Structures are given as C-alpha cells and as structure tokens.
Amino acid sequence: LNKILAEFKALEDPRDRVIRILDYSSLLPPLPQSERITLNRVMGCTAQVWLIVELGCDGRMYFGADNDSEITRGFCSFLISFLNGSFLEEVLKVKTEDLSSINVGVASGANSKANTWHNLLISMQKRIQAILAKNSGKSPVEPFPSLLITAEDISTQGSFAEAQAKYLSPDASKVAELVDALKEKQIGVVAHFYMDPEVQGVLVAAK
C-alpha cells in the first residue's frame, strides 16, 4: 500500500492521477454477467458497482469487482491490486483515511469519488466479517439496530444502536455549559430528527 500511495503522491497534478487510475481500469478483469446481481452490489455508490469476495484455501482474500464507468473501475482495480491475496486481518486494518492522500479527481466530482473509495472498502470489510461470523457459527447478519428500553434499563442490539445509546446520557458539563449559554443569550433550540445524535442528546438533556 505504501508503495502505491507513494506512486500517486509523486503525481502532483490531479489529472495525472486520473490518468493513472484509468490505467488501473484496463487491468481489471470484467465480472461475468451472472455476478452482476443485486446481492453483489456495493451500496452507497452513485454508480452501480458489483463486488465479489472469496476466502481462498490458503486463508487469503480474493476480490473481483466491476462497473460500467472506466474511472470507477479504476478505483476498484486500484483497491484490489493491493488487497488481493491479503490475509483477513490485513484487509480489516485498512482505513479509508489511508487512501485520502491520493486525491484523485477534480472538485466537481470529489465527493462521489471519495464515496467510491469508502463504500468499496467498507463493503469488502463487511463481507469479510460476515465470512468470519459464518465460520465461527455466528449469524453473518448483524441484528437490526434497536434500543430496548425498559423501566430498569436500556439495552442495545447492533453496533449502530450501541453508538446511539452512548448519547442518551450526555456529559453533564456540556449540558450545563449549553444551558448557561442559551439562558444568557435567550435562545431556544429545537432538536431536529436528523440532527447528530450527540447534539440531540445534549439538547434533550438541556432543560
């Protein structure tokens, strides 16, 4: 990975990086039509991206991907070029931040391109986690995120619900600081449903 990142960093003009990504596109074998199915779709990408993930007999991961856009195929090919043949743990350690320095593209398309990096890598890692869960006898599907609230306690199901539950008991000092500021400036605040959960937790507690 470091070698490939160094290669892109050496290309100072983002347009040269796009050209290099297009070179990668030509190296990616197309997926057969039988693999371009909904089950293999990478969710969250603007373009349709298909991904297959296999655990080899040697304990290493092997990937295949496809897309009708040359530049998106290039992104797929780039990731696969250094992740193919890696062990499970190695793929799971890669972070999307590791790829940010590549900075491929122009401003008008930067967000969608960043999403391609992120969504493809996250999909790879989620499917690996599903394989690990299946091999250990656990359900490969994460439970639907739920907060179970009783008179005595609040329990959670799923990692998303666990993250949300952390904000049900916000930092008292932050709440007090907000209350003082609102009183001083005589401001009222309405918590919106789509607001950040941490902010919502503080606002709800600020009575």
Side-chain angles (χ1 to χ4, degrees):
L1 174 59
N2 290 333
K3 182 179 179 181
I4 295 177
L5 291 179
E7 173 190 349
F8 275 89
K9 287 179 181 179
L11 301 172
E12 297 183 0
D13 190 333
R15 289 172 294 185
D16 291 334
R17 298 178 183 181
V18 171
I19 292 172
R20 187 69 187 97
I21 282 291
L22 291 174
D23 289 339
Y24 272 100
S25 175
S26 64
L27 302 176
L28 184 67
L31 288 179
Q33 197 63 36
S34 59
E35 297 288 4
R36 294 168 63 123
I37 57 177
T38 302
L39 184 64
N40 292 334
R41 279 281 308 278
V42 175
M43 296 296 106
C45 291
T46 304
Q48 290 191 88
V49 179
W50 295 272
L51 171 70
I52 56 173
V53 179
E54 297 179 355
L55 175 61
C57 297
D58 55 0
R60 297 175 182 270
M61 298 307 306
Y62 296 94
F63 305 95
D66 207 353
N67 176 262
D68 293 330
S69 161
E70 288 299 308
I71 193 163
T72 302
R73 278 175 53 83
F75 286 139
C76 297
S77 180
F78 169 82
L79 280 176
I80 290 173
S81 69
F82 69 85
L83 291 179
N84 240 14
S86 299
F87 288 108
L88 295 161
E89 298 78 8
E90 294 172 333
V91 180
L92 293 175
K93 285 180 181 178
V94 179
K95 299 179 181 179
T96 53
E97 293 82 1
D98 296 335
L99 308 173
S100 60
S101 61
I102 294 176
N103 189 27
V104 174
V106 293
S108 61
N111 289 336
S112 63
K113 291 177 175 60
N115 285 339
T116 300
W117 290 121
H118 179 272
N119 293 329
L120 185 61
L121 178 60
I122 294 301
S123 291
M124 288 176 168
Q125 294 174 334
K126 282 187 175 181
R127 296 188 195 184
I128 288 174
Q129 289 167 343
I131 291 173
L132 288 172
K134 183 178 180 180
N135 290 347
S136 61
K138 299 178 182 178
S139 171
V141 180
E142 183 172 320
F144 187 82
S146 306
L147 288 174
L148 307 178
I149 303 175
T150 65
E152 294 79 23
D153 194 16
I154 296 176
S155 58
T156 62
Q157 289 186 346
S159 56
F160 180 76
E162 291 172 3
Q164 304 300 297
K166 291 191 302 182
Y167 304 122
L168 293 176
S169 301
D171 186 327
S173 63
K174 291 183 179 179
V175 175
E177 183 180 352
L178 175 63
V179 170
D180 291 342
L182 293 176
K183 285 182 178 179
E184 179 184 350
K185 300 183 181 297
Q186 297 184 337
I187 296 175
V189 179
V190 176
H192 192 279
F193 178 75
Y194 292 107
M195 190 176 288
D196 179 273
E198 182 176 11
V199 175
Q200 274 194 330
V202 173
L203 288 174
V204 170
K207 299 178 180 179

